Amino acid sequence: MSGTQERITDALYGLGWATVKKLPEPVARRLGRTIADAAWKKRGKGVLRLEANLARVVPDATPQRLRQLSKQGMRSYLRYWMESFRLPAWSKERIKDGFTAKDLHYLTEGLDAGKGVVLALPHMGNYDLAGAWVTTKLDTPFTTVAERLKPETLYDRFVAYREGLGMEVLPHTGGSAFGTLARRLRAGGLVCLVADRDLSSSGVEVKFFGETTRMPAGPAMLAQQTGALLLPVTLWYDESSVMRGRVHPPVDVPETGTRAEKTSAMTQALADAFATGIADHPEDWHMLQRLWLADLDHFEERPA
């Protein structure tokens, strides 16, 4: 991305946070749907990639069904962005009423035990809203990690946005994030990580909807090294103004095996939990990038 493109991107995000948050919620929702439908009709690279990914999630879907799912997926994706632009303006009560989760007891009991909890999520629904709900409704601070974006000013916008919602945000690069996360967990804290895509050489190979991809080793390694509870979480929307979620049963550390073998088994268990949630709500999985290794054979792509 050139310097000019970076400045334009930063300006557009800045415009979104400055303008969309001032709109009434129904107006913002309609605007998001209008933008989503326009992007879907254009059939750009992101939409086509979303459909290709959904074809693996719903292998028996007809072409017509895949197009319907990708349209719903773009609407879900733009709902995420409209909500994110507006979240800084939401009242505490609106945040508390904006999310509900099944099997929340896994999280609350884990926190009460004082051993630390790692929540691992795929790119579903709006994890920023879920995070704001945790810091507001549950009154529980947590630590997360953000990829360094270009330009640096855009990264700073995202950090300021998430810190404004009550999160501690660490940069993905620099080498110190893992140690800080481990310290937070050993102190009985909460760590939340998006964990369904890591195409770097350090990613763990897993089977996901029948094919091989890589997912980050961090959640499993943190659980092993600190004794923290590892919980998968999936999120989705319905037609209401409330986002839904599910806290899945804990991923246990295997009793035998090397550290690498344990990490592999735990990451596969995370992938299986993510697949369950995504299969139930495929339209709310916002994966507009290449994910499976078979799709990368003839392409170069920067990890995200």
Side-chain angles (χ1 to χ4, degrees), residues 7-23 31 81-82 85-86 154 157:
R7 288 191 293 273
I8 291 173
T9 299
D10 181 47
L12 288 173
Y13 278 104
L15 181 64
W17 268 301
T19 303
V20 174
K21 72 179 181 181
K22 298 177 181 177
L23 297 175
L31 175 62
W81 278 112
M82 292 298 108
F85 287 142
R86 287 181 45 75
L154 180 57
R157 285 186 192 275

Side-chain angles (χ1 to χ4, degrees), residues 184-224:
R184 300 292 183 269
L185 291 168
R186 290 191 180 103
L190 176 64
V191 165
C192 300
L193 300 171
V194 180
D196 59 342
R197 187 176 189 267
D198 182 357
L199 300 180
S200 70
S201 58
S202 61
V204 177
E205 289 196 2
V206 296
K207 287 294 183 181
F208 193 53
F209 291 102
E211 294 192 42
T212 304
T213 187
R214 295 193 191 103
M215 293 185 181
M221 292 177 64
L222 284 166
Q224 289 181 67

Side-chain angles (χ1 to χ4, degrees), residues 40 46-62 65-74 209 278-279 281-289 291-292 295:
W40 180 79
V47 172
L48 295 178
R49 174 47 48 195
L50 177 61
E51 281 187 13
N53 290 338
L54 289 171
R56 285 183 167 95
V57 175
V58 191
D60 58 347
T62 64
R65 173 61 175 151
L66 283 177
R67 285 174 64 89
Q68 180 187 36
L69 278 174
S70 68
K71 185 174 185 177
Q72 293 171 337
M74 291 303 294
F209 291 102
I278 292 167
H281 305 279
E283 66 279 5
D284 292 309
W285 185 44
H286 305 151
M287 187 55 66
L288 281 70
Q289 298 167 296
L291 179 70
W292 282 274
D295 292 337

